[in-house]
């Protein structure tokens, strides 16, 4: 039967991972943008909740960073013969780590920088709602410009079973270098949403500071690469591929 074949197993797992990833993104949207507190335990001290949240963040960052290294890719490939499905495995592990962090997170309402009760101010509630909704919409539009299937790992499976080259093999060298520095879009938008929020409790401040520092440190590249990426995605919208390659040959690595 097809479902028990290697191809069937690959496609089934890819579909499940894609669904789980979308579920994780949906929960992350609520986690970042909802205007109410997350779960908190009144019996847990402020310092205890702070340390627990910090551990959750460090676990997520460790998974997200270590599995992205070439060393980990080589080890997983040699130990488990995982080449085509590695990206899919990485995304699944990241989604699991993200969901675990979200559901285990503890709010710290006892300490805060600011606390705006939007439940009593309809206009403020509407402002933050529309602001975050617009930011998520812009992030979704950014996802349209990248190969979402390749980013999740589904395209690798499809290309493998249809005897096509890996998705990244079709991209220019500098584009692949940029992808290695900034794998997914939305870094700026996510940073803005972390800080522009009606509730800035101690745990939210920890989340905003840690993720902002991590994204700035990990997802940064030179100005020339930024200009290249900007023009690349502008041209990608218009789709004149032949003109694109000719115009940017100087940017390709030797």
């Amino acid at each position: 039967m097809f479902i028990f074949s290697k191809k069937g197993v690959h496609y089934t797992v890819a579909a499940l991972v894609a669904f789980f990833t979308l579920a994780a993104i949906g929960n992350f949207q609520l986690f970042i943008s909802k205007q109410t507190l997350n779960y908190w335990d009144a019996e847990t001290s402020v310092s205890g909740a702070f340390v627990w949240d910090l551990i959750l963040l460090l676990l997520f960052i460790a998974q997200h960073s270590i599995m992205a290294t070439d060393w980990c890719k080589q080890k997983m490939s040699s130990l488990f013969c995982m080449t085509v499905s590695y990206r899919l495995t990485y995304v699944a592990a990241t989604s699991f780590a993200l969901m675990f962090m979200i559901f285990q997170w503890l709010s710290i309402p006892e300490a805060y920088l600011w606390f705006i009760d939007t439940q009593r101010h309809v206009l403020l509630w509407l402002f933050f709602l529309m602001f975050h909704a617009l930011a998520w919409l812009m992030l979704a539009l950014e996802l349209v410009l990248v190969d979402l299937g390749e980013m999740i790992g589904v395209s690798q499976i499809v290309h493998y079973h249809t005897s096509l080259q890996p998705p990244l093999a079709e991209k220019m060298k500098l584009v692949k270098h940029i992808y290695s520095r900034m794998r997914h879009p939305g870094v700026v938008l996510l940073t803005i949403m972390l800080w522009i929020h009606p509730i800035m409790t101690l745990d939210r401040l920890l989340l905003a500071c840690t993720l902002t520092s991590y994204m700035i440190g990990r997802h940064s590249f030179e100005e020339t690469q930024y200009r290249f990426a900007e023009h690349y995605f502008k041209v990608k919208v218009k789709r004149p591929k032949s003109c694109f390659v000719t115009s940017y040959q100087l940017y390709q690595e030797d």
Side-chain angles (χ1 to χ4, degrees):
M1 294 178 64
F2 171 78
I3 194 170
F4 296 111
S5 64
K6 182 179 180 180
K7 184 177 181 180
V9 171
H10 270 169
Y11 281 177
T12 302
V13 172
L16 291 174
V17 170
F19 177 79
F20 184 62
T21 301
L22 292 176
I25 293 173
N27 279 278
F28 187 63
Q29 287 178 320
L30 292 175
F31 181 68
I32 292 295
S33 298
K34 68 178 182 179
Q35 301 181 39
T36 56
L37 290 172
N38 294 298
Y39 172 80
W40 79 90
D41 187 355
E43 297 181 358
T44 304
S45 64
V46 171
S47 58
F50 182 86
V51 171
W52 174 248
D53 290 340
L54 179 60
I55 291 173
L56 292 175
L57 275 170
L58 293 179
L59 286 175
F60 171 73
I61 290 173
Q63 177 278 321
H64 198 62
S65 300
I66 294 174
M67 288 193 69
T69 61
D70 292 333
W71 175 84
C72 186
K73 294 176 184 177
Q74 293 170 1
K75 287 295 182 181
M76 295 286 282
S77 177
S78 60
L79 292 175
F80 304 105
C81 298
M82 189 177 295
T83 53
V84 176
S85 59
Y86 183 80
R87 181 67 190 176
L88 201 66
T89 304
Y90 172 75
V91 171
T94 299
S95 298
F96 177 81
L98 183 62
M99 292 277 271
F100 180 79
M101 183 187 75
I102 291 172
F103 288 116
Q104 296 298 319
W105 191 265
L106 293 177
S107 290
I108 309 176
E110 297 89 347
Y112 54 87
L113 281 182
W114 62 80
F115 195 109
I116 303 173
D117 188 0
T118 55
Q119 302 300 319
R120 298 182 179 181
H121 302 84
V122 178
L123 291 180
L124 284 176
W125 176 84
L126 186 61
F127 166 76
F128 285 109
L129 175 66
M130 296 302 295
F131 180 85
H132 279 245
L134 179 61
W136 285 113
L137 176 61
M138 292 175 64
L139 197 152
L141 293 176
E142 288 186 16
L143 288 174
V144 174
L145 295 178
V146 301
D147 189 347
L148 184 59
E150 187 278 328
M151 190 173 70
I152 295 177
V154 174
S155 294
Q156 287 85 330
I157 302 297
V158 175
H159 281 226
Y160 173 76
H161 287 289
T162 53
S163 301
L164 296 175
Q165 286 187 327
L168 286 181
E170 302 172 356
K171 299 185 183 297
M172 300 170 65
K173 291 182 179 180
L174 189 53
V175 174
K176 289 188 282 187
H177 176 67
I178 292 173
Y179 273 21
S180 69
R181 299 293 298 274
M182 183 178 286
R183 196 63 178 86
H184 47 74
V187 172
V188 175
L189 290 170
L190 179 58
T191 302
I192 292 173
M193 286 188 286
L194 283 170
W195 289 98
I196 301 181
H197 192 270
I199 300 174
M200 187 57 71
T201 52
L202 182 59
D203 63 289
R204 176 86 183 195
L205 181 62
L206 172 66
L207 180 72
C209 289
T210 305
L211 290 185
T212 300
S213 301
Y214 174 67
M215 289 186 292
I216 291 175
R218 180 170 176 79
H219 303 294
S220 60
F221 45 83
E222 299 174 358
E223 183 180 353
T224 54
Q225 295 171 331
Y226 168 78
R227 291 202 304 267
F228 176 85
E230 181 183 20
H231 287 294
Y232 171 78
F233 288 112
K234 283 182 179 179
V235 175
K236 188 175 180 180
V237 173
K238 299 177 182 179
R239 297 288 182 179
K241 294 184 178 180
S242 58
C243 296
F244 169 78
V245 175
T246 303
S247 301
Y248 290 98
Q249 284 177 343
L250 293 177
Y251 287 95
Q252 297 186 54
E253 297 176 346
D254 295 332

